[in-house]
Amino acid sequence: DTGVSQDPRHKITKRGQNVTFRCDPISEHNRLYWYRQTLGQGPEFLTYFQNEAQLEKSRLLSDRFSAERPKGSFSTLEIQRTEQGDSAMYLCASSSSGELFFGEGSRLTVL
Amino acid sequence: GENVEQHPSTLSVQEGDSAVIKCTYSDSASNYFPWYKQELGKGPQLIIDIRSNVGEKKDQRIAVTLNKTAKHFSLHITETQPEDSAVYFCAASFMDSNYQLIWGAGTKLIIKP
């Protein structure tokens, strides 16, 4: 297993467009997290899955954001009607217990 | 809610010297305190963690200390090397909260040759 992988690594889009990010966690990990990180800040929690169930969502996650993990394996994070304030690094992490293993992130730039 | 403050925001040390990064947390119920290292263009990577039933933990050149009474914890890196240059984040959480971490703002560590 090569760790947590995220795709795409970079995405440039125009304001108002929809974007989708994919995360493939470490295969035996049942927990999956999405975080958002802006320059000079620590990651901010967005949402958490245990298997296919979305158990927690941050208040930061507006109704334009939706995340799924349909079969308890990979996950997608979709942002609809993107705004310039959505520009950030979107990090995915997985765990079985305790330590979080992060992917290298998907950097979103909204023009 | 829980808040984690981290100092300094930037730390520059001579290669071979020690570096210390400090964090304070607000919620006395927090019981898990990891430290992550993030290199440019990469995701954070856990380097050491400590639970509230332990006061100190060491792993080679890296150590973490926890003062529950004062609600602060520190990262100590000895004999610093160029590859230690990175951004370091502290975090705090309840172990029962599905490890939803509250993060500090990060410290950029610069190792001068």
Side-chain angles (χ1 to χ4, degrees):
Chain A
D1 196 344
T2 55
V4 178
S5 62
Q6 293 188 242
D7 183 72
R9 294 291 312 280
H10 304 275
K11 178 71 176 179
I12 300 174
T13 191
K14 293 182 179 179
R15 189 173 51 189
Q17 297 295 305
N18 299 343
V19 296
T20 299
F21 301 115
R22 176 182 169 120
C23 171
D24 287 273
I26 294 172
S27 58
E28 63 268 26
H29 286 181
N30 61 343
R31 300 176 180 182
L32 187 147
Y33 303 77
W34 284 99
Y35 284 85
R36 179 171 64 191
Q37 186 178 27
T38 53
L39 199 62
Q41 298 296 318
E44 294 176 299
F45 170 78
L46 293 179
T47 190
Y48 158 71
F49 291 85
Q50 183 156 324
N51 299 311
E52 67 275 12
Q54 188 174 19
L55 297 184
E56 289 186 45
K57 289 173 62 173
S58 166
R59 288 169 294 174
L60 294 174
L61 213 64
S62 77
D63 57 4
R64 297 185 298 105
F65 288 70
S66 62
E68 295 182 342
R69 194 183 183 196
K71 297 181 179 179
S73 55
F74 74 92
S75 175
T76 58
L77 177 68
E78 181 183 16
I79 309 174
Q80 296 182 324
R81 306 182 302 281
T82 52
E83 302 173 356
Q84 288 185 325
D86 297 332
S87 295
M89 177 76 83
Y90 291 85
L91 293 165
C92 176
S94 70
S95 75
S96 55
S97 62
E99 179 179 356
L100 296 181
F101 292 83
F102 282 86
E104 297 197 336
S106 293
R107 180 168 295 283
L108 173 65
T109 301
V110 181
L111 302 176
Chain B
E2 173 72 284
N3 182 51
V4 176
E5 293 189 358
Q6 182 171 348
H7 300 280
S9 57
T10 304
L11 178 60
S12 183
V13 301
Q14 204 69 39
E15 181 179 350
D17 288 351
S18 296
V20 180
I21 302 170
K22 299 181 179 181
C23 288
T24 59
Y25 60 99
S26 59
D27 193 332
S28 57
S30 293
N31 55 13
Y32 174 64
F33 307 92
W35 285 89
Y36 283 81
K37 175 183 181 183
Q38 187 172 25
E39 297 176 337
L40 197 62
K42 296 187 177 181
Q45 181 180 15
L46 181 72
I47 55 172
I48 196 166
D49 58 11
I50 192 167
R51 287 166 170 76
S52 59
N53 58 347
V54 175
E56 183 173 359
K57 184 176 178 181
K58 191 173 182 180
D59 183 4
Q60 299 181 3
R61 297 186 297 109
I62 294 172
V64 57
T65 58
L66 172 65
N67 183 327
K68 287 172 55 180
T69 302
K71 292 191 285 186
H72 66 70
F73 55 113
S74 300
L75 178 71
H76 304 253
I77 305 174
T78 58
E79 301 171 14
T80 52
Q81 300 169 4
E83 54 265 35
D84 294 331
S85 294
V87 179
Y88 291 81
F89 291 97
C90 63
S93 79
F94 307 109
M95 289 179 67
D96 291 337
S97 72
N98 299 313
Y99 296 94
Q100 182 180 323
L101 297 172
I102 307 299
W103 296 71
T107 296
K108 184 176 182 180
L109 177 62
I110 301 166
I111 307 301
K112 296 181 290 185

Coordinates of all heavy atoms in Angstrom, one line a residue, chain B residues 3 10 27 33 35 50 77-78 90 99 103:
Chain B
N3 N -9.4 25.4 21.8 CA -8.6 26.3 21.1 C -7.1 25.9 21.4 O -6.8 25.6 22.6 CB -8.8 27.8 21.5 CG -7.9 28.7 20.8 OD1 -7.9 28.7 19.5 ND2 -7.2 29.6 21.5
T10 N 7.6 31.4 13.8 CA 8.8 31.1 13.1 C 10.0 30.9 14.0 O 10.1 31.7 15.0 CB 9.2 32.2 12.1 OG1 8.1 32.4 11.2 CG2 10.4 31.8 11.2
D27 N -9.2 23.4 26.6 CA -10.1 22.4 27.2 C -9.4 21.4 28.1 O -8.6 20.6 27.5 CB -10.9 21.8 26.1 CG -12.1 21.1 26.7 OD1 -12.1 20.6 27.8 OD2 -13.1 20.9 25.9
F33 N -2.4 14.5 22.3 CA -1.7 15.6 21.8 C -0.6 15.2 20.8 O 0.5 14.8 21.2 CB -1.0 16.4 23.0 CG -2.0 16.7 24.1 CD1 -2.2 15.8 25.2 CD2 -2.7 17.9 24.0 CE1 -3.1 16.2 26.2 CE2 -3.6 18.2 25.0 CZ -3.8 17.3 26.1
W35 N 2.0 15.7 17.4 CA 2.7 16.7 16.7 C 2.9 16.2 15.3 O 3.3 15.1 15.1 CB 4.1 16.9 17.4 CG 4.1 17.7 18.6 CD1 3.9 17.3 19.9 CD2 4.2 19.1 18.7 NE1 3.9 18.3 20.8 CE2 4.1 19.5 20.1 CE3 4.4 20.2 17.8 CZ2 4.2 20.8 20.6 CZ3 4.5 21.5 18.3 CH2 4.4 21.8 19.7
I50 N 1.5 12.2 22.5 CA 1.5 11.9 23.9 C 0.0 11.9 24.4 O -0.8 12.7 23.9 CB 2.3 12.9 24.7 CG1 2.6 12.5 26.1 CG2 1.7 14.3 24.6 CD1 3.7 13.3 26.8
I77 N 13.4 19.3 19.9 CA 14.2 18.6 18.9 C 15.6 19.0 19.2 O 16.0 20.1 19.2 CB 13.9 19.1 17.4 CG1 12.4 18.9 17.1 CG2 14.7 18.3 16.4 CD1 12.0 19.5 15.8
T78 N 16.4 17.9 19.4 CA 17.8 18.1 19.8 C 18.7 17.8 18.5 O 18.3 17.2 17.6 CB 18.3 17.2 20.9 OG1 18.0 15.9 20.5 CG2 17.5 17.5 22.2
C90 N 1.1 21.5 16.3 CA 0.6 20.7 17.4 C -0.9 20.6 17.3 O -1.5 21.4 16.5 CB 1.0 21.4 18.7 SG 0.2 23.1 18.9
Y99 N -11.1 11.4 17.3 CA -9.8 12.0 17.0 C -10.0 13.2 16.1 O -9.2 13.5 15.2 CB -8.9 11.0 16.3 CG -8.5 9.9 17.2 CD1 -9.3 8.7 17.2 CD2 -7.5 10.0 18.2 CE1 -9.0 7.7 18.1 CE2 -7.2 9.0 19.0 CZ -7.9 7.8 19.0 OH -7.6 6.8 19.9
W103 N -6.1 22.1 15.7 CA -4.7 22.3 15.4 C -4.2 23.7 15.8 O -5.0 24.7 15.8 CB -4.6 22.2 13.9 CG -4.9 20.9 13.3 CD1 -6.1 20.3 13.2 CD2 -3.9 19.9 12.8 NE1 -6.0 19.0 12.6 CE2 -4.7 18.8 12.4 CE3 -2.5 19.9 12.6 CZ2 -4.0 17.7 11.8 CZ3 -1.9 18.8 12.0 CH2 -2.7 17.7 11.6

